[in-house]
């Protein structure tokens, strides 16, 4: 299995300076997985900002992936790409990027999850957990019960693919969400809008590890 980190920062919309500042704080707080999600702007702007984020991440042995576009991910020398449900299929992205690339995809249903697993995705972004203003055309909200149900069904079918919860997650959700069986969490707004993004990153990582250790002790 390729490298997987339990906390992913998805960059919030903003100018390049804001994105880089937030990413730096996340990395200094111990975060080791960044996804550039830049829906507005030109491809050249995405490549420019993406290349800067890749450089920052590689300096601290962190992973950097690009949202939506394998071509931009390759132009940035990123570690991989995250594909939405309306983006290029995983199998085609794999053919373009090669076996070493980390390729993830978005899922909202069990069928989505199975499709991504059979297509050869390296991880699944499952959501949304709750309503979030950071994404347009939001899929139906899953809530905690939805994660419990989908993760149980997915694991019973024998799939071991990492699953990252996403969508409106706040610090108070960490213990309950990790308890559903997901492998990690993706966050955005709570980092970008926090008065101390470095400190909240460290806190979230500690909470995730604490929950994982508790689960191991209970097995």
């Amino acid at each position: 299995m390729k490298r997987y980190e339990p906390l992913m920062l998805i960059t919030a919309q903003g100018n390049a300076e804001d994105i880089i500042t937030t990413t730096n704080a996340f990395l200094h707080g111990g975060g080791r997985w960044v996804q550039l999600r830049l829906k507005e702007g030109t491809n050249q702007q995405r490549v420019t900002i993406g290349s800067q984020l890749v450089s920052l991440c590689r300096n601290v042995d962190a992973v950097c992936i690009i949202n939506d576009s394998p071509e931009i991910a390759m132009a940035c020398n990123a570690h991989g790409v995250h594909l939405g449900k309306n983006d290029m299929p995983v199998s085609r992205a794999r053919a373009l990027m090669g076996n070493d690339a980390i390729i993830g995809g978005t899922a909202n249903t069990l069928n989505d999850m199975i499709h991504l697993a059979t297509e050869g995705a390296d991880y699944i972004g499952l959501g949304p957990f709750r309503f979030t203003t950071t994404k347009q055309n939001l899929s139906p909200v899953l809530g905690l019960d939805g994660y419990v149900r989908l993760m149980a069904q997915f694991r019973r079918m024998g799939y071991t693919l990492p699953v990252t919860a996403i969508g409106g997650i706040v610090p108070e959700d960490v213990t309950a969400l990790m308890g559903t069986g997901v492998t990690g969490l993706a966050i955005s707004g709570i980092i970008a809008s926090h008065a101390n993004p470095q400190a909240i990153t460290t806190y979230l990582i500690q909470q995730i590890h604490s929950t994982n250790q508790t689960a191991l002790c209970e097995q």
Side-chain angles (χ1 to χ4, degrees), residues 70-151:
E71 293 87 355
I72 291 176
M74 290 188 291
C76 297
N77 196 29
H79 295 85
V81 68
H82 182 90
L83 301 169
K85 294 174 72 171
N86 296 319
D87 292 330
M88 181 185 297
V90 169
S91 56
R92 186 177 165 200
R94 180 70 67 201
L96 281 174
M97 301 184 73
N99 291 329
D100 291 338
I102 297 171
I103 300 178
T106 297
N108 181 249
T109 67
L110 181 61
N111 284 339
D112 291 339
M113 298 170 76
I114 294 169
H115 176 71
L116 287 169
T118 56
E119 276 268 294
D122 295 306
Y123 76 91
I124 293 169
L126 179 63
F129 172 57
R130 64 163 58 89
F131 178 79
T132 173
T133 59
T134 62
K135 186 172 184 181
Q136 297 178 349
N137 303 317
L138 202 65
S139 296
V141 170
L142 294 177
L144 204 61
D145 289 343
Y147 279 93
V148 170
R149 173 176 51 82
L150 291 175
M151 289 305 303

Side-chain angles (χ1 to χ4, degrees), residues 1-216:
M1 185 176 70
K2 295 190 179 77
R3 179 175 171 184
Y4 178 90
E5 297 289 336
L7 184 66
M8 178 196 293
L9 169 67
I10 301 178
T11 62
Q13 291 298 321
N15 58 44
E17 182 179 357
D18 289 342
I19 291 171
I20 291 167
T21 298
T22 301
T23 299
N24 252 324
F26 176 77
L27 296 173
H28 279 93
R32 289 297 178 263
W33 194 0
V34 176
Q35 179 190 148
L36 174 63
R37 186 176 186 271
L38 193 61
K39 294 293 186 179
E40 299 173 359
T42 66
N43 284 345
Q44 184 54 56
Q45 288 172 323
R46 293 184 179 94
V47 171
T48 299
I49 297 174
S51 297
Q52 294 178 70
L53 295 193
V54 169
S55 179
L56 290 175
C57 287
R58 291 190 183 277
N59 284 341
V60 294
D61 192 30
V63 172
C64 185
I65 63 175
I66 308 297
N67 184 262
D68 290 346
S69 173
E71 293 87 355
I72 291 176
M74 290 188 291
C76 297
N77 196 29
H79 295 85
V81 68
H82 182 90
L83 301 169
K85 294 174 72 171
N86 296 319
D87 292 330
M88 181 185 297
V90 169
S91 56
R92 186 177 165 200
R94 180 70 67 201
L96 281 174
M97 301 184 73
N99 291 329
D100 291 338
I102 297 171
I103 300 178
T106 297
N108 181 249
T109 67
L110 181 61
N111 284 339
D112 291 339
M113 298 170 76
I114 294 169
H115 176 71
L116 287 169
T118 56
E119 276 268 294
D122 295 306
Y123 76 91
I124 293 169
L126 179 63
F129 172 57
R130 64 163 58 89
F131 178 79
T132 173
T133 59
T134 62
K135 186 172 184 181
Q136 297 178 349
N137 303 317
L138 202 65
S139 296
V141 170
L142 294 177
L144 204 61
D145 289 343
Y147 279 93
V148 170
R149 173 176 51 82
L150 291 175
M151 289 305 303
Q153 292 173 329
F154 192 59
R155 297 304 188 218
R156 276 200 303 267
M157 297 176 73
Y159 293 108
T160 59
L161 207 62
V163 177
T164 299
I166 183 173
I169 297 168
V170 297
E172 293 75 19
D173 299 321
V174 172
T175 300
L177 264 175
M178 293 301 295
T180 67
V182 299
T183 324
L185 309 176
I187 42 84
S188 182
I190 60 173
I191 298 292
S193 63
H194 200 275
N196 191 335
Q198 179 175 332
I200 192 64
T201 297
T202 302
Y203 173 78
L204 291 169
I205 292 170
Q206 290 171 343
Q207 288 294 103
I208 290 170
H209 287 318
S210 176
T211 304
N212 285 340
Q213 288 300 317
T214 300
L216 286 172

